Amino acid sequence: MTVDIQRRARRLNDRSPNPGPVAYWMSRDQRAQDNWALLYAQELARERQQSLVVVFNLLPQFLQATWRQYHFMLEGLRLVEEELRRYQIPFLVTTGQPETEVPRFAKRHGIGTLVTDFSPLRINQHWYGQVSRSIDCEFWQVDTHNIIPCWKASGKREYAAYTFRPKVHKQLDDYLTEFPSLQKHPHPLPGDNSAVDWRQLETKLKIDRSVGPIEDVNPGNDAAIARLKHFLENDLAHYDELRNNPNNNVQTGLSPYLHFGHIAPQRVAWEVQRESGSGASREALLEQLIVRRELSDNFCYYCQEYDSFDAFPDWAKETLTEHQSDPREYVYSGEELEQGKTHDPLWNAAQENLVARGTMHGYLRMYWAKKILQWSLTPQEALAQAIYLNDRYQLDGRDPNGYTGIAWSIGGVHDRPWFEREVFGKIRYMSYNGCRRKFDVEEYIANSQPQREDT
Ligand code: FO1
């Protein structure tokens, strides 16, 4: 076992391996390339001269996801099946609740060892617990989303980026490496006639189809790599100076691919750090991609109530409660917010962008969430509303990064107290005029008019 794979793995039960194929239960990291969990499963299978199989359990209504997200995910999975076939690694799909379907799958195929990837979210943690108790073979977990496995980067909830960064930088050189390549698997699965009926899966899926797909973002690893290359060639150089300006589309555009694991954050970081050119932009991007992103997994993993007011730091809970009865100049209902019907044209434009394009510029995500705090009767309502809209319309919704970003904006998570004011208390405030000082607000509003159907 090569050391750089083994140290990213940990046991989820203490059973010994049985004879039989090794299975990788894929969930968060939906890719064949640069996938430590798949590489680990393949090493185990080769050592034991066993076949290797990948299984994905598809469930409807995952955290209220809509057709927008499922459409992107299913197309990505179809590409994974195609690619794995070239490595003689069957890709199978089960449907239903993983706590019953995965053990059933393991029994049906006589799986000797199960490997899965890592997500800090409550729902995924619940799955691991249930499956680890009900399968009778060994069960491993490999964090192939974080460059440094979440449980190794830090053993506790970190207060802020400045407490987490040194821990990351101490281990980064060790873990930020090139990936070994996936091999064509020498032991085919006996009786393998796997071919997923994607059409049937799609039609059987009972999900909310009222939020349509985003047509101009192609799913999959190839599209993600192409996007990364385009960004490195055209945008990295001035990422630092322009990244806070929503009018210059200098964001990497990788967040949907990172959310569904179509590309490994480690691949992005590896390619970025190899780039020559201005250090400031590279450092800024690595900070976002490594410290900020892995800090959000740290927050969700060690604070399982990451989507509730209780997760806010004490100073934030106190100050928000103290100002709960401050008069609100404007209060908007969920429908008014969802339809972008507030008095603030910038906020409305950001919301229209979100609904029409399934994305929102990072700078505006903060402004957008903070205004929901300002226009809601309680912080709890604001938090629920921001999460609902984020997860319903963002292509990268339901992500630790999203929960953490909203908790930062509304509840001061990983932030510090600022000058006290109405409603916000000491939570950092952002204003319309503050945005005007940062970028051309009128230009942004003009560009965000929803795509008018050509009459
Ligand atoms: N993970 C699964 O294992 N099965 C699914 O059917 C599934 C659906 C899904 C839909 C939208 C979405 O945003 C995520 C979804 N995921 C699913 C989970 C995802 O792979 C990640 O594990 C978490 O969202 C991030 O931790």
Side-chain angles (χ1 to χ4, degrees), residues 25-30 56-60 62-63 65 69-70 73 118-121 124 127 259-260 395-400:
W25 169 25
M26 176 186 278
S27 173
R28 187 178 196 192
D29 295 275
Q30 300 166 22
F56 184 86
N57 181 74
L58 179 67
L59 41 335
F62 178 85
L63 299 181
Q69 294 89 15
Y70 272 95
M73 186 182 82
F118 170 78
S119 163
L121 300 189
N124 301 87
W127 295 347
H259 170 66
F260 286 102
L395 204 42
D396 66 2
R398 281 158 303 287
D399 195 277

PDB file of all heavy atoms in Angstrom, residues 25-30 56-60 62-63 65 69-70 73 118-121 124 127 259-260 395-400, ligand 1:
ATOM      1  N   TRP A  25     -18.142   2.858  -2.624  1.00  0.00           N
ATOM      2  CA  TRP A  25     -19.456   3.525  -2.567  1.00  0.00           C
ATOM      3  C   TRP A  25     -19.206   5.022  -2.751  1.00  0.00           C
ATOM      4  O   TRP A  25     -18.813   5.715  -1.827  1.00  0.00           O
ATOM      5  CB  TRP A  25     -20.137   3.220  -1.235  1.00  0.00           C
ATOM      6  CG  TRP A  25     -21.357   4.053  -0.947  1.00  0.00           C
ATOM      7  CD1 TRP A  25     -22.191   4.666  -1.837  1.00  0.00           C
ATOM      8  CD2 TRP A  25     -21.873   4.369   0.363  1.00  0.00           C
ATOM      9  NE1 TRP A  25     -23.183   5.345  -1.180  1.00  0.00           N
ATOM     10  CE2 TRP A  25     -23.020   5.173   0.171  1.00  0.00           C
ATOM     11  CE3 TRP A  25     -21.493   4.046   1.661  1.00  0.00           C
ATOM     12  CZ2 TRP A  25     -23.763   5.661   1.234  1.00  0.00           C
ATOM     13  CZ3 TRP A  25     -22.240   4.521   2.730  1.00  0.00           C
ATOM     14  CH2 TRP A  25     -23.368   5.310   2.506  1.00  0.00           C
ATOM     15  N   MET A  26     -19.416   5.476  -3.970  1.00  0.00           N
ATOM     16  CA  MET A  26     -19.167   6.867  -4.367  1.00  0.00           C
ATOM     17  C   MET A  26     -20.334   7.731  -3.945  1.00  0.00           C
ATOM     18  O   MET A  26     -21.488   7.344  -4.120  1.00  0.00           O
ATOM     19  CB  MET A  26     -18.985   6.915  -5.885  1.00  0.00           C
ATOM     20  CG  MET A  26     -18.816   8.279  -6.467  1.00  0.00           C
ATOM     21  SD  MET A  26     -18.772   8.231  -8.287  1.00  0.00           S
ATOM     22  CE  MET A  26     -17.053   7.774  -8.560  1.00  0.00           C
ATOM     23  N   SER A  27     -20.058   8.908  -3.339  1.00  0.00           N
ATOM     24  CA  SER A  27     -21.169   9.806  -3.013  1.00  0.00           C
ATOM     25  C   SER A  27     -20.772  11.252  -3.293  1.00  0.00           C
ATOM     26  O   SER A  27     -21.305  11.897  -4.182  1.00  0.00           O
ATOM     27  CB  SER A  27     -21.559   9.652  -1.542  1.00  0.00           C
ATOM     28  OG  SER A  27     -22.510  10.633  -1.196  1.00  0.00           O
ATOM     29  N   ARG A  28     -19.782  11.767  -2.546  1.00  0.00           N
ATOM     30  CA  ARG A  28     -19.455  13.189  -2.696  1.00  0.00           C
ATOM     31  C   ARG A  28     -18.548  13.410  -3.896  1.00  0.00           C
ATOM     32  O   ARG A  28     -18.700  14.420  -4.597  1.00  0.00           O
ATOM     33  CB  ARG A  28     -18.751  13.686  -1.428  1.00  0.00           C
ATOM     34  CG  ARG A  28     -18.534  15.196  -1.433  1.00  0.00           C
ATOM     35  CD  ARG A  28     -17.897  15.660  -0.170  1.00  0.00           C
ATOM     36  NE  ARG A  28     -18.017  17.099   0.020  1.00  0.00           N
ATOM     37  CZ  ARG A  28     -17.330  17.757   0.951  1.00  0.00           C
ATOM     38  NH1 ARG A  28     -16.498  17.106   1.746  1.00  0.00           N
ATOM     39  NH2 ARG A  28     -17.473  19.072   1.078  1.00  0.00           N
ATOM     40  N   ASP A  29     -17.625  12.509  -4.128  1.00  0.00           N
ATOM     41  CA  ASP A  29     -16.600  12.748  -5.141  1.00  0.00           C
ATOM     42  C   ASP A  29     -16.881  11.932  -6.395  1.00  0.00           C
ATOM     43  O   ASP A  29     -16.375  10.824  -6.553  1.00  0.00           O
ATOM     44  CB  ASP A  29     -15.223  12.455  -4.541  1.00  0.00           C
ATOM     45  CG  ASP A  29     -14.907  13.440  -3.423  1.00  0.00           C
ATOM     46  OD1 ASP A  29     -14.414  14.532  -3.720  1.00  0.00           O
ATOM     47  OD2 ASP A  29     -15.236  13.135  -2.257  1.00  0.00           O
ATOM     48  N   GLN A  30     -17.702  12.554  -7.261  1.00  0.00           N
ATOM     49  CA  GLN A  30     -18.259  11.802  -8.379  1.00  0.00           C
ATOM     50  C   GLN A  30     -17.364  11.912  -9.610  1.00  0.00           C
ATOM     51  O   GLN A  30     -17.667  12.593 -10.578  1.00  0.00           O
ATOM     52  CB  GLN A  30     -19.681  12.307  -8.655  1.00  0.00           C
ATOM     53  CG  GLN A  30     -20.593  12.106  -7.418  1.00  0.00           C
ATOM     54  CD  GLN A  30     -21.905  12.861  -7.488  1.00  0.00           C
ATOM     55  OE1 GLN A  30     -22.380  13.232  -8.550  1.00  0.00           O
ATOM     56  NE2 GLN A  30     -22.521  13.069  -6.317  1.00  0.00           N
ATOM     57  N   PHE A  56     -23.065   3.772  -6.802  1.00  0.00           N
ATOM     58  CA  PHE A  56     -23.601   5.074  -6.395  1.00  0.00           C
ATOM     59  C   PHE A  56     -25.033   4.856  -5.985  1.00  0.00           C
ATOM     60  O   PHE A  56     -25.817   4.246  -6.732  1.00  0.00           O
ATOM     61  CB  PHE A  56     -23.537   6.082  -7.551  1.00  0.00           C
ATOM     62  CG  PHE A  56     -23.999   7.467  -7.157  1.00  0.00           C
ATOM     63  CD1 PHE A  56     -23.113   8.370  -6.583  1.00  0.00           C
ATOM     64  CD2 PHE A  56     -25.321   7.860  -7.322  1.00  0.00           C
ATOM     65  CE1 PHE A  56     -23.534   9.639  -6.201  1.00  0.00           C
ATOM     66  CE2 PHE A  56     -25.748   9.118  -6.943  1.00  0.00           C
ATOM     67  CZ  PHE A  56     -24.848  10.008  -6.378  1.00  0.00           C
ATOM     68  N   ASN A  57     -25.418   5.301  -4.807  1.00  0.00           N
ATOM     69  CA  ASN A  57     -26.814   5.157  -4.376  1.00  0.00           C
ATOM     70  C   ASN A  57     -27.558   6.473  -4.649  1.00  0.00           C
ATOM     71  O   ASN A  57     -27.245   7.514  -4.071  1.00  0.00           O
ATOM     72  CB  ASN A  57     -26.903   4.811  -2.888  1.00  0.00           C
ATOM     73  CG  ASN A  57     -28.359   4.643  -2.482  1.00  0.00           C
ATOM     74  OD1 ASN A  57     -28.975   3.640  -2.815  1.00  0.00           O
ATOM     75  ND2 ASN A  57     -28.900   5.644  -1.833  1.00  0.00           N
ATOM     76  N   LEU A  58     -28.536   6.373  -5.522  1.00  0.00           N
ATOM     77  CA  LEU A  58     -29.284   7.565  -5.935  1.00  0.00           C
ATOM     78  C   LEU A  58     -30.543   7.676  -5.094  1.00  0.00           C
ATOM     79  O   LEU A  58     -31.321   6.723  -5.024  1.00  0.00           O
ATOM     80  CB  LEU A  58     -29.658   7.435  -7.414  1.00  0.00           C
ATOM     81  CG  LEU A  58     -30.468   8.573  -8.032  1.00  0.00           C
ATOM     82  CD1 LEU A  58     -29.638   9.854  -8.083  1.00  0.00           C
ATOM     83  CD2 LEU A  58     -30.921   8.185  -9.435  1.00  0.00           C
ATOM     84  N   LEU A  59     -30.705   8.802  -4.393  1.00  0.00           N
ATOM     85  CA  LEU A  59     -31.969   8.969  -3.673  1.00  0.00           C
ATOM     86  C   LEU A  59     -32.668  10.252  -4.116  1.00  0.00           C
ATOM     87  O   LEU A  59     -31.999  11.228  -4.444  1.00  0.00           O
ATOM     88  CB  LEU A  59     -31.795   8.964  -2.188  1.00  0.00           C
ATOM     89  CG  LEU A  59     -30.755   9.586  -1.351  1.00  0.00           C
ATOM     90  CD1 LEU A  59     -29.441   9.898  -1.768  1.00  0.00           C
ATOM     91  CD2 LEU A  59     -31.193   9.964  -0.049  1.00  0.00           C
ATOM     92  N   PRO A  60     -33.993  10.235  -4.145  1.00  0.00           N
ATOM     93  CA  PRO A  60     -34.736  11.431  -4.533  1.00  0.00           C
ATOM     94  C   PRO A  60     -34.741  12.443  -3.380  1.00  0.00           C
ATOM     95  O   PRO A  60     -34.469  12.088  -2.245  1.00  0.00           O
ATOM     96  CB  PRO A  60     -36.134  10.892  -4.798  1.00  0.00           C
ATOM     97  CG  PRO A  60     -36.251   9.688  -3.937  1.00  0.00           C
ATOM     98  CD  PRO A  60     -34.857   9.128  -3.789  1.00  0.00           C
ATOM     99  N   PHE A  62     -32.780  14.671  -2.197  1.00  0.00           N
ATOM    100  CA  PHE A  62     -31.632  14.834  -1.296  1.00  0.00           C
ATOM    101  C   PHE A  62     -31.617  16.283  -0.811  1.00  0.00           C
ATOM    102  O   PHE A  62     -31.390  17.199  -1.599  1.00  0.00           O
ATOM    103  CB  PHE A  62     -30.320  14.515  -2.030  1.00  0.00           C
ATOM    104  CG  PHE A  62     -29.099  14.711  -1.189  1.00  0.00           C
ATOM    105  CD1 PHE A  62     -28.648  13.728  -0.341  1.00  0.00           C
ATOM    106  CD2 PHE A  62     -28.402  15.917  -1.225  1.00  0.00           C
ATOM    107  CE1 PHE A  62     -27.528  13.913   0.445  1.00  0.00           C
ATOM    108  CE2 PHE A  62     -27.283  16.116  -0.447  1.00  0.00           C
ATOM    109  CZ  PHE A  62     -26.847  15.113   0.389  1.00  0.00           C
ATOM    110  N   LEU A  63     -31.941  16.489   0.435  1.00  0.00           N
ATOM    111  CA  LEU A  63     -31.941  17.858   1.004  1.00  0.00           C
ATOM    112  C   LEU A  63     -32.660  18.830   0.057  1.00  0.00           C
ATOM    113  O   LEU A  63     -32.163  19.898  -0.263  1.00  0.00           O
ATOM    114  CB  LEU A  63     -30.499  18.324   1.280  1.00  0.00           C
ATOM    115  CG  LEU A  63     -29.701  17.484   2.284  1.00  0.00           C
ATOM    116  CD1 LEU A  63     -28.299  18.078   2.479  1.00  0.00           C
ATOM    117  CD2 LEU A  63     -30.414  17.385   3.619  1.00  0.00           C
ATOM    118  N   ALA A  65     -33.109  18.949  -3.038  1.00  0.00           N
ATOM    119  CA  ALA A  65     -32.508  19.325  -4.329  1.00  0.00           C
ATOM    120  C   ALA A  65     -33.580  19.243  -5.419  1.00  0.00           C
ATOM    121  O   ALA A  65     -34.517  18.456  -5.329  1.00  0.00           O
ATOM    122  CB  ALA A  65     -31.358  18.388  -4.644  1.00  0.00           C
ATOM    123  N   GLN A  69     -30.236  20.556  -9.965  1.00  0.00           N
ATOM    124  CA  GLN A  69     -29.022  19.894  -9.455  1.00  0.00           C
ATOM    125  C   GLN A  69     -28.949  18.428  -9.906  1.00  0.00           C
ATOM    126  O   GLN A  69     -27.883  17.932 -10.295  1.00  0.00           O
ATOM    127  CB  GLN A  69     -28.977  19.967  -7.925  1.00  0.00           C
ATOM    128  CG  GLN A  69     -28.830  21.382  -7.387  1.00  0.00           C
ATOM    129  CD  GLN A  69     -30.156  22.083  -7.157  1.00  0.00           C
ATOM    130  OE1 GLN A  69     -31.215  21.411  -7.130  1.00  0.00           O
ATOM    131  NE2 GLN A  69     -30.142  23.394  -7.003  1.00  0.00           N
ATOM    132  N   TYR A  70     -30.095  17.743  -9.907  1.00  0.00           N
ATOM    133  CA  TYR A  70     -30.062  16.330 -10.301  1.00  0.00           C
ATOM    134  C   TYR A  70     -29.680  16.159 -11.767  1.00  0.00           C
ATOM    135  O   TYR A  70     -28.957  15.250 -12.144  1.00  0.00           O
ATOM    136  CB  TYR A  70     -31.423  15.665 -10.036  1.00  0.00           C
ATOM    137  CG  TYR A  70     -31.569  15.111  -8.648  1.00  0.00           C
ATOM    138  CD1 TYR A  70     -32.171  15.845  -7.634  1.00  0.00           C
ATOM    139  CD2 TYR A  70     -31.075  13.845  -8.337  1.00  0.00           C
ATOM    140  CE1 TYR A  70     -32.296  15.345  -6.355  1.00  0.00           C
ATOM    141  CE2 TYR A  70     -31.197  13.325  -7.046  1.00  0.00           C
ATOM    142  CZ  TYR A  70     -31.805  14.082  -6.066  1.00  0.00           C
ATOM    143  OH  TYR A  70     -31.912  13.583  -4.794  1.00  0.00           O
ATOM    144  N   MET A  73     -25.993  16.484 -11.943  1.00  0.00           N
ATOM    145  CA  MET A  73     -25.340  15.341 -11.275  1.00  0.00           C
ATOM    146  C   MET A  73     -25.469  14.066 -12.105  1.00  0.00           C
ATOM    147  O   MET A  73     -24.486  13.321 -12.303  1.00  0.00           O
ATOM    148  CB  MET A  73     -25.952  15.129  -9.891  1.00  0.00           C
ATOM    149  CG  MET A  73     -25.226  14.057  -9.071  1.00  0.00           C
ATOM    150  SD  MET A  73     -25.982  13.796  -7.480  1.00  0.00           S
ATOM    151  CE  MET A  73     -27.329  12.692  -7.963  1.00  0.00           C
ATOM    152  N   PHE A 118     -15.856  11.075   1.802  1.00  0.00           N
ATOM    153  CA  PHE A 118     -16.157  11.788   3.050  1.00  0.00           C
ATOM    154  C   PHE A 118     -16.960  13.046   2.787  1.00  0.00           C
ATOM    155  O   PHE A 118     -16.581  13.874   1.936  1.00  0.00           O
ATOM    156  CB  PHE A 118     -14.832  12.184   3.735  1.00  0.00           C
ATOM    157  CG  PHE A 118     -15.007  13.133   4.898  1.00  0.00           C
ATOM    158  CD1 PHE A 118     -15.441  12.689   6.144  1.00  0.00           C
ATOM    159  CD2 PHE A 118     -14.767  14.504   4.742  1.00  0.00           C
ATOM    160  CE1 PHE A 118     -15.624  13.568   7.206  1.00  0.00           C
ATOM    161  CE2 PHE A 118     -14.960  15.393   5.801  1.00  0.00           C
ATOM    162  CZ  PHE A 118     -15.379  14.918   7.044  1.00  0.00           C
ATOM    163  N   SER A 119     -18.046  13.181   3.551  1.00  0.00           N
ATOM    164  CA  SER A 119     -18.751  14.458   3.586  1.00  0.00           C
ATOM    165  C   SER A 119     -19.082  14.740   5.045  1.00  0.00           C
ATOM    166  O   SER A 119     -19.533  13.843   5.766  1.00  0.00           O
ATOM    167  CB  SER A 119     -20.056  14.382   2.785  1.00  0.00           C
ATOM    168  OG  SER A 119     -20.883  15.470   3.167  1.00  0.00           O
ATOM    169  N   PRO A 120     -18.888  15.965   5.521  1.00  0.00           N
ATOM    170  CA  PRO A 120     -19.127  16.277   6.929  1.00  0.00           C
ATOM    171  C   PRO A 120     -20.607  16.484   7.267  1.00  0.00           C
ATOM    172  O   PRO A 120     -20.954  16.635   8.431  1.00  0.00           O
ATOM    173  CB  PRO A 120     -18.356  17.597   7.125  1.00  0.00           C
ATOM    174  CG  PRO A 120     -18.439  18.256   5.789  1.00  0.00           C
ATOM    175  CD  PRO A 120     -18.396  17.141   4.778  1.00  0.00           C
ATOM    176  N   LEU A 121     -21.483  16.485   6.254  1.00  0.00           N
ATOM    177  CA  LEU A 121     -22.884  16.841   6.527  1.00  0.00           C
ATOM    178  C   LEU A 121     -23.560  15.777   7.376  1.00  0.00           C
ATOM    179  O   LEU A 121     -23.234  14.592   7.305  1.00  0.00           O
ATOM    180  CB  LEU A 121     -23.647  17.035   5.216  1.00  0.00           C
ATOM    181  CG  LEU A 121     -23.124  18.134   4.283  1.00  0.00           C
ATOM    182  CD1 LEU A 121     -24.090  18.356   3.133  1.00  0.00           C
ATOM    183  CD2 LEU A 121     -22.886  19.446   5.033  1.00  0.00           C
ATOM    184  N   ASN A 124     -24.851  12.624   5.614  1.00  0.00           N
ATOM    185  CA  ASN A 124     -23.813  11.660   5.235  1.00  0.00           C
ATOM    186  C   ASN A 124     -23.274  10.953   6.472  1.00  0.00           C
ATOM    187  O   ASN A 124     -23.072   9.735   6.470  1.00  0.00           O
ATOM    188  CB  ASN A 124     -22.672  12.392   4.501  1.00  0.00           C
ATOM    189  CG  ASN A 124     -23.163  13.100   3.244  1.00  0.00           C
ATOM    190  OD1 ASN A 124     -23.600  14.243   3.331  1.00  0.00           O
ATOM    191  ND2 ASN A 124     -23.141  12.431   2.104  1.00  0.00           N
ATOM    192  N   TRP A 127     -25.547   8.242   7.398  1.00  0.00           N
ATOM    193  CA  TRP A 127     -25.411   7.072   6.515  1.00  0.00           C
ATOM    194  C   TRP A 127     -24.225   6.203   6.975  1.00  0.00           C
ATOM    195  O   TRP A 127     -24.337   4.981   7.099  1.00  0.00           O
ATOM    196  CB  TRP A 127     -25.152   7.498   5.065  1.00  0.00           C
ATOM    197  CG  TRP A 127     -26.265   8.233   4.394  1.00  0.00           C
ATOM    198  CD1 TRP A 127     -27.556   8.369   4.808  1.00  0.00           C
ATOM    199  CD2 TRP A 127     -26.168   8.953   3.155  1.00  0.00           C
ATOM    200  NE1 TRP A 127     -28.260   9.126   3.915  1.00  0.00           N
ATOM    201  CE2 TRP A 127     -27.441   9.494   2.884  1.00  0.00           C
ATOM    202  CE3 TRP A 127     -25.136   9.204   2.246  1.00  0.00           C
ATOM    203  CZ2 TRP A 127     -27.704  10.255   1.746  1.00  0.00           C
ATOM    204  CZ3 TRP A 127     -25.402   9.953   1.107  1.00  0.00           C
ATOM    205  CH2 TRP A 127     -26.662  10.467   0.869  1.00  0.00           C
ATOM    206  N   HIS A 259     -18.482  21.016  -5.922  1.00  0.00           N
ATOM    207  CA  HIS A 259     -19.552  20.481  -5.066  1.00  0.00           C
ATOM    208  C   HIS A 259     -19.839  19.016  -5.394  1.00  0.00           C
ATOM    209  O   HIS A 259     -19.936  18.174  -4.512  1.00  0.00           O
ATOM    210  CB  HIS A 259     -20.825  21.302  -5.222  1.00  0.00           C
ATOM    211  CG  HIS A 259     -21.992  20.660  -4.549  1.00  0.00           C
ATOM    212  ND1 HIS A 259     -22.047  20.519  -3.174  1.00  0.00           N
ATOM    213  CD2 HIS A 259     -23.103  20.055  -5.041  1.00  0.00           C
ATOM    214  CE1 HIS A 259     -23.172  19.882  -2.855  1.00  0.00           C
ATOM    215  NE2 HIS A 259     -23.822  19.589  -3.969  1.00  0.00           N
ATOM    216  N   PHE A 260     -19.999  18.703  -6.673  1.00  0.00           N
ATOM    217  CA  PHE A 260     -20.326  17.321  -7.047  1.00  0.00           C
ATOM    218  C   PHE A 260     -19.080  16.461  -7.228  1.00  0.00           C
ATOM    219  O   PHE A 260     -19.157  15.309  -7.643  1.00  0.00           O
ATOM    220  CB  PHE A 260     -21.173  17.302  -8.331  1.00  0.00           C
ATOM    221  CG  PHE A 260     -22.587  17.739  -8.094  1.00  0.00           C
ATOM    222  CD1 PHE A 260     -23.008  19.016  -8.446  1.00  0.00           C
ATOM    223  CD2 PHE A 260     -23.498  16.887  -7.473  1.00  0.00           C
ATOM    224  CE1 PHE A 260     -24.309  19.434  -8.203  1.00  0.00           C
ATOM    225  CE2 PHE A 260     -24.799  17.295  -7.219  1.00  0.00           C
ATOM    226  CZ  PHE A 260     -25.204  18.571  -7.584  1.00  0.00           C
ATOM    227  N   LEU A 395     -26.459  25.967  -8.164  1.00  0.00           N
ATOM    228  CA  LEU A 395     -26.039  24.667  -8.681  1.00  0.00           C
ATOM    229  C   LEU A 395     -25.164  23.983  -7.627  1.00  0.00           C
ATOM    230  O   LEU A 395     -25.131  22.766  -7.509  1.00  0.00           O
ATOM    231  CB  LEU A 395     -25.265  24.875  -9.990  1.00  0.00           C
ATOM    232  CG  LEU A 395     -25.195  23.731 -10.982  1.00  0.00           C
ATOM    233  CD1 LEU A 395     -26.516  23.024 -11.141  1.00  0.00           C
ATOM    234  CD2 LEU A 395     -24.679  24.230 -12.320  1.00  0.00           C
ATOM    235  N   ASP A 396     -24.453  24.774  -6.831  1.00  0.00           N
ATOM    236  CA  ASP A 396     -23.567  24.194  -5.800  1.00  0.00           C
ATOM    237  C   ASP A 396     -24.215  24.262  -4.413  1.00  0.00           C
ATOM    238  O   ASP A 396     -23.536  24.339  -3.394  1.00  0.00           O
ATOM    239  CB  ASP A 396     -22.215  24.911  -5.788  1.00  0.00           C
ATOM    240  CG  ASP A 396     -22.335  26.370  -5.332  1.00  0.00           C
ATOM    241  OD1 ASP A 396     -23.459  26.792  -4.989  1.00  0.00           O
ATOM    242  OD2 ASP A 396     -21.315  27.086  -5.308  1.00  0.00           O
ATOM    243  N   GLY A 397     -25.535  24.213  -4.363  1.00  0.00           N
ATOM    244  CA  GLY A 397     -26.235  24.243  -3.057  1.00  0.00           C
ATOM    245  C   GLY A 397     -25.957  22.997  -2.238  1.00  0.00           C
ATOM    246  O   GLY A 397     -25.381  22.036  -2.725  1.00  0.00           O
ATOM    247  N   ARG A 398     -26.385  23.003  -0.969  1.00  0.00           N
ATOM    248  CA  ARG A 398     -26.192  21.853  -0.070  1.00  0.00           C
ATOM    249  C   ARG A 398     -24.715  21.524   0.121  1.00  0.00           C
ATOM    250  O   ARG A 398     -24.325  20.372   0.303  1.00  0.00           O
ATOM    251  CB  ARG A 398     -26.892  20.578  -0.600  1.00  0.00           C
ATOM    252  CG  ARG A 398     -28.370  20.457  -0.404  1.00  0.00           C
ATOM    253  CD  ARG A 398     -28.907  19.477  -1.412  1.00  0.00           C
ATOM    254  NE  ARG A 398     -28.555  19.945  -2.731  1.00  0.00           N
ATOM    255  CZ  ARG A 398     -29.165  20.994  -3.287  1.00  0.00           C
ATOM    256  NH1 ARG A 398     -30.146  21.627  -2.650  1.00  0.00           N
ATOM    257  NH2 ARG A 398     -28.792  21.401  -4.469  1.00  0.00           N
ATOM    258  N   ASP A 399     -23.881  22.532   0.112  1.00  0.00           N
ATOM    259  CA  ASP A 399     -22.446  22.292   0.241  1.00  0.00           C
ATOM    260  C   ASP A 399     -21.943  22.895   1.559  1.00  0.00           C
ATOM    261  O   ASP A 399     -22.407  23.970   1.959  1.00  0.00           O
ATOM    262  CB  ASP A 399     -21.708  22.960  -0.933  1.00  0.00           C
ATOM    263  CG  ASP A 399     -20.281  22.436  -1.028  1.00  0.00           C
ATOM    264  OD1 ASP A 399     -19.434  22.969  -0.270  1.00  0.00           O
ATOM    265  OD2 ASP A 399     -20.029  21.510  -1.787  1.00  0.00           O
ATOM    266  N   PRO A 400     -20.997  22.241   2.243  1.00  0.00           N
ATOM    267  CA  PRO A 400     -20.432  22.828   3.465  1.00  0.00           C
ATOM    268  C   PRO A 400     -19.991  24.278   3.257  1.00  0.00           C
ATOM    269  O   PRO A 400     -20.167  25.128   4.124  1.00  0.00           O
ATOM    270  CB  PRO A 400     -19.248  21.913   3.764  1.00  0.00           C
ATOM    271  CG  PRO A 400     -19.656  20.593   3.208  1.00  0.00           C
ATOM    272  CD  PRO A 400     -20.456  20.909   1.980  1.00  0.00           C
TER     273      PRO A 400
HETATM  274  N1  FO1 B   1     -25.213  11.900  -2.819  1.00  0.00           N
HETATM  275  C1  FO1 B   1     -25.572  10.577  -2.977  1.00  0.00           C
HETATM  276  O1  FO1 B   1     -24.836   9.694  -2.509  1.00  0.00           O
HETATM  277  N2  FO1 B   1     -26.709  10.214  -3.639  1.00  0.00           N
HETATM  278  C2  FO1 B   1     -27.542  11.133  -4.207  1.00  0.00           C
HETATM  279  O2  FO1 B   1     -28.564  10.762  -4.792  1.00  0.00           O
HETATM  280  C3  FO1 B   1     -27.199  12.524  -4.072  1.00  0.00           C
HETATM  281  C4  FO1 B   1     -28.013  13.522  -4.623  1.00  0.00           C
HETATM  282  C5  FO1 B   1     -27.602  14.876  -4.508  1.00  0.00           C
HETATM  283  C6  FO1 B   1     -28.365  15.907  -5.079  1.00  0.00           C
HETATM  284  C7  FO1 B   1     -27.972  17.231  -4.959  1.00  0.00           C
HETATM  285  C8  FO1 B   1     -26.799  17.544  -4.269  1.00  0.00           C
HETATM  286  O3  FO1 B   1     -26.394  18.838  -4.155  1.00  0.00           O
HETATM  287  C9  FO1 B   1     -26.007  16.538  -3.665  1.00  0.00           C
HETATM  288  C10 FO1 B   1     -26.400  15.198  -3.790  1.00  0.00           C
HETATM  289  N3  FO1 B   1     -25.646  14.176  -3.214  1.00  0.00           N
HETATM  290  C11 FO1 B   1     -26.012  12.856  -3.360  1.00  0.00           C
HETATM  291  C12 FO1 B   1     -24.636  14.466  -2.168  1.00  0.00           C
HETATM  292  C13 FO1 B   1     -23.357  15.010  -2.666  1.00  0.00           C
HETATM  293  O4  FO1 B   1     -22.800  14.036  -3.456  1.00  0.00           O
HETATM  294  C14 FO1 B   1     -22.454  15.410  -1.470  1.00  0.00           C
HETATM  295  O5  FO1 B   1     -22.183  14.299  -0.697  1.00  0.00           O
HETATM  296  C15 FO1 B   1     -22.973  16.492  -0.537  1.00  0.00           C
HETATM  297  O6  FO1 B   1     -23.939  17.256  -1.059  1.00  0.00           O
HETATM  298  C16 FO1 B   1     -21.850  17.413  -0.116  1.00  0.00           C
HETATM  299  O7  FO1 B   1     -21.277  16.988   1.000  1.00  0.00           O
END
